[in-house]
Amino acid sequence: MTRTFVITGGTDGIGAAVARALFSRGDHAVVIGTDPRKGARLLREAADSPGTASFARADLGSVAENRRIIRELTEKHPEIDGLVLCARYFQTRRTVTPEGFEHNFALFYLSRFLLSHGIIGALAKGDRPVVVNVAGPGQGTPIDWADLQNENYDGVRAMFATGRYNDLLGVDFARRHGDGPVRYVLFQPGPTATSFAGEYDAPTARFVEQQKAKAKPAVEVVPPIVGLLDAPPAEPLSAFGTHARIDIRDDPATAARLAAITEQLLGSG
């Protein structure tokens, strides 16, 4: 039976490697990205494989684009078996989207919030449905409630802060939907030679190149992610490193507080 999986950030790095693994074994991979040339390349690869792929161009830093993609996904794919969230883009300097959100907050957190909840109906109809949020769980970064959108900006801290928001997204998702069939998994890939998409100043760019030289290739992260897609854990929320479980702070009150603020922001965005 062919299964359908949606992958954000699916034209590069871990996302592209997961997409290739899925269509190479006969599944359908819905790849979401910003570069149609990279999307076309994956589609050519899929044409010679047992499975299939489709490409949807979207800037997931935009709330409106997320909402459009959610509509398109649920219209074209009434049953979705898994959602893999990989889209991320590092910025040394703070930028704000046209909708007024700090870009890292918008892409790395708001998009994942919207997509996780937005396709829940289609996921609930899937076979062993699961959301795999590749976000680096378990960091325990303190939340600055007065500065959720990183006005006091540091690129690395902003990435860790929004990673923490994703932990809480998982906690709140499990609180809301844990009685249903959809499992939520937070995944920490560790140092991986992805595309490292972003805009870097010179010192950070040099550091990134050093990290690429030391990091494992993206294909090494594929087996554990595909394993989670095939056999999600029984509990509503879990977190993993490449091969081992990770403890996260199961803090429903804090997660509910962040979710309520997020919904208020989205209501005005």
Side-chain angles (χ1 to χ4, degrees):
M1 180 182 68
T2 299
R3 303 174 72 206
T4 298
F5 298 94
V6 176
I7 307 158
T8 71
T11 57
D12 291 288
I14 293 171
V18 170
R20 289 186 179 99
L22 293 171
F23 63 64
S24 292
R25 72 178 193 176
D27 289 320
H28 180 67
V30 182
V31 175
I32 301 175
T34 58
D35 190 334
R37 293 172 299 177
K38 293 178 180 179
R41 182 180 64 198
L42 277 173
L43 296 187
R44 288 194 296 271
E45 293 179 35
D48 295 324
S49 74
T52 55
S54 57
F55 172 72
R57 183 179 184 181
D59 174 8
L60 296 180
S62 162
V63 171
E65 282 283 271
N66 276 277
R67 289 173 171 157
R68 175 183 65 80
I69 283 293
I70 288 166
R71 289 193 300 270
E72 291 184 6
L73 286 173
T74 53
E75 288 171 2
K76 293 178 181 178
H77 307 285
E79 295 183 15
I80 296 173
D81 299 291
L83 170 65
V84 184
L85 298 165
C86 294
R88 188 165 66 172
Y89 190 87
F90 181 89
Q91 298 207 38
T92 301
R93 297 175 181 82
R94 187 178 190 270
T95 62
V96 177
T97 70
E99 295 162 320
F101 298 113
E102 187 268 312
H103 186 269
N104 189 73
F105 179 84
L107 177 62
F108 190 21
Y109 171 62
L110 285 184
S111 172
R112 298 180 186 220
F113 181 97
L114 286 162
L115 286 163
S116 295
H117 292 295
I119 67 169
I120 184 69
L123 282 167
K125 298 174 185 175
D127 178 36
R128 304 184 303 278
V130 61
V131 178
V132 178
N133 188 337
V134 182
Q139 301 294 341
T141 303
I143 295 177
D144 184 349
W145 293 103
D147 189 21
L148 289 177
Q149 294 197 56
N150 308 304
E151 290 187 21
N152 185 22
Y153 192 78
D154 173 88
V156 173
R157 189 196 177 283
M159 195 70 77
F160 277 106
T162 40
R164 175 68 177 136
Y165 304 162
N166 276 289
D167 281 12
L168 295 170
L169 164 57
V171 172
D172 193 65
F173 186 96
R175 179 185 67 83
R176 297 191 198 194
H177 305 298
D179 291 338
V182 183
R183 308 294 85 176
Y184 207 96
V185 180
L186 297 160
F187 187 80
Q188 165 63 275
T192 306
T194 67
S195 66
F196 288 88
E199 296 178 4
Y200 303 96
D201 58 17
T204 307
R206 287 194 295 271
F207 176 76
V208 166
E209 290 304 315
Q210 292 170 357
Q211 295 306 300
K212 284 183 180 181
K214 301 175 184 177
K216 61 183 175 293
V219 292
E220 291 189 13
V221 183
V222 171
I225 292 177
V226 171
L228 291 166
L229 295 175
D230 288 344
E235 58 268 45
L237 174 67
S238 56
F240 289 82
T242 308
H243 297 291
R245 283 185 177 257
I246 294 174
D247 290 329
I248 60 170
R249 299 181 183 185
D250 186 359
D251 187 346
T254 302
R257 180 182 180 184
L258 179 63
I261 293 171
T262 302
E263 288 171 343
Q264 290 174 353
L265 290 170
L266 289 169
S268 61

